[in-house]
Amino acid sequence: MMNVAIVFIIGIGTYLIRLSFVAAVGRKTVPEWAMVPLQFVAPAVLAALVAPAVLLQNGRFDLAPSTNPRALAALIAILVAWKTKNTALVIIVGMSIVWFLQAVT
Amino acid sequence: MLDGAQAVAPMMLGVIPFGLVFGIVAAGSALGPLLGGASSMIVFAGAAQLAMVDLIDAGAATVVVIATALIINARHIMYSAALAPHFQDFPTPARFALPYVMTDQAFAVSIVRYNDVDDPVYKQWYFTGAAVTLWIVWQLSTITGIVVGAQVPDSWSLDFAIPLVFLVLLVPAVKSRPDLVAAVVGGGIAVAAAGAPYGLGLMIGAVCGIVAGVIAHRVIR
């Protein structure tokens, strides 16, 4: 039940965010003080999502390929994403490296 | 309408695997296949949906799950502001319905096209074509992921596909040195704060990253 409420609240909140300026007649620009922080939402949030997932293993900072294959796989995935911007390829390359490192170590 | 659909077509290469991953992850999560699938219609925002599932599974506090998802979607304020001058000429039902299907992709192709055209009717259907195409593809790929997801064993480490999808979004989002500062600080603090109670680590990292980006923006300029 709680999860149903969470999904609906996020859904309604997201709709209201998208509607915000479109519905506001008259004021059509984001004030400067809000515009600058908004620009950094994407890089900050996405990095905060990625970093713990790839740099931590069982809650501890770990870069060794033998115990945490995800760190090395993520590094290579960044290069592939940077060069190709191809989502499917990044997933395939990243997953393959993790599977390979899991198999050999 | 077809023009808009055509403009977003190449972006489906990014949307389909993303939707598949979300479907697979949602099916195996506390959210379950039904609510996971429904969330694609109710929320219709991939990154926020994925973070939501991740946090719910990690046992994060309800308020934190909601706040984190809404911070991720805060970028839509910019899109809403940029599209508003164009949308104000649309009929009222369209003005209130179209924001529901607003996405990074539909915004990106429309705002570019709007530079070249003045006809509000064309603008309305261009956005509709782009946004609705994406909506349909997102629902279909999510559902496919949910169906497939029931058969994927844990040993495949498919949860690693989540950060990989975010990486694909992150790399092009870093366009300047302040962006890089925001990303490094956001990621670094999120790692340091990973043990924070209520699943607050992600939000603490994100807020610190945004603040660091603003400071870097001031200093570098």
Side-chain angles (χ1 to χ4, degrees):
Chain A
M1 255 335 276
M2 190 53 107
N3 289 343
V4 175
I6 291 176
V7 169
F8 273 97
I9 292 170
I10 293 174
I12 293 165
T14 300
Y15 172 70
L16 292 177
I17 288 172
R18 287 165 166 163
L19 180 67
S20 58
F21 279 86
V22 170
V25 184
R27 282 198 56 196
K28 293 183 210 85
T29 52
V30 184
E32 169 71 18
W33 59 263
M35 201 64 202
V36 175
L38 282 173
Q39 285 170 7
F40 298 111
V41 168
V45 170
L46 292 169
L49 283 163
V50 171
V54 302
L55 300 178
L56 299 175
Q57 184 77 346
N58 300 323
R60 290 179 50 209
F61 188 72
D62 186 358
L63 296 181
S66 54
T67 48
N68 178 19
R70 294 171 179 218
L72 178 62
L75 182 69
I76 296 166
I78 288 174
L79 293 175
V80 176
W82 184 38
K83 288 294 173 198
T84 68
K85 297 188 172 77
N86 183 330
T87 307
L89 189 65
V90 172
I91 294 174
I92 292 166
V93 169
M95 293 306 304
S96 304
I97 294 168
V98 165
W99 289 332
F100 175 75
L101 289 172
Q102 277 175 347
V104 296
T105 56
Chain B
M1 192 161 167
L2 277 177
D3 287 357
Q6 220 161 44
V8 292
M11 296 175 174
M12 297 309 151
L13 273 176
V15 174
I16 295 167
F18 193 167
L20 288 173
V21 167
F22 174 73
I24 293 169
V25 171
S29 76
L31 217 56
L34 197 66
L35 191 53
S39 77
S40 277
M41 293 190 193
I42 298 165
V43 181
F44 187 48
Q49 286 174 241
L50 211 39
M52 171 184 79
V53 170
D54 215 18
L55 284 171
I56 289 175
D57 266 0
T62 302
V63 179
V64 176
V65 178
I66 294 168
T68 305
L70 294 181
I71 287 177
I72 293 173
N73 287 337
R75 67 193 188 286
H76 284 270
I77 295 172
M78 288 190 292
Y79 305 162
S80 187
L83 292 171
H86 304 282
F87 278 29
Q88 70 168 350
D89 302 324
F90 297 176
T92 303
R95 261 181 50 218
F96 281 82
L98 290 180
Y100 161 65
V101 282
M102 187 185 290
T103 54
D104 300 304
Q105 295 86 346
F107 164 75
V109 297
S110 297
I111 206 71
V112 171
R113 189 79 184 104
Y114 286 179
N115 282 333
D116 305 327
V117 288
D118 279 324
D119 177 15
V121 176
Y122 179 87
K123 285 181 181 178
Q124 183 190 331
W125 290 106
Y126 187 90
F127 183 90
T128 306
V132 170
T133 302
L134 213 139
W135 188 89
I136 294 169
V137 172
W138 180 248
Q139 306 307 331
L140 291 179
S141 48
T142 299
I143 293 166
T144 310
I146 289 171
V147 173
V148 173
Q151 282 120 51
V152 175
D154 279 354
S155 62
W156 285 19
S157 302
L158 257 183
D159 55 321
F160 183 53
I162 302 174
L164 287 176
V165 168
F166 287 133
L167 264 182
V168 180
L169 303 174
L170 170 63
V171 169
V174 178
K175 296 183 291 278
S176 66
R177 266 193 283 175
D179 286 343
L180 186 62
V181 172
V184 170
V185 172
I189 300 283
V191 168
Y198 312 115
L200 271 167
L202 168 55
M203 225 166 78
I204 294 171
V207 171
C208 290
I210 293 167
V211 171
V214 172
I215 293 170
H217 174 81
R218 297 254 164 82
V219 171
I220 291 174
R221 188 178 58 172

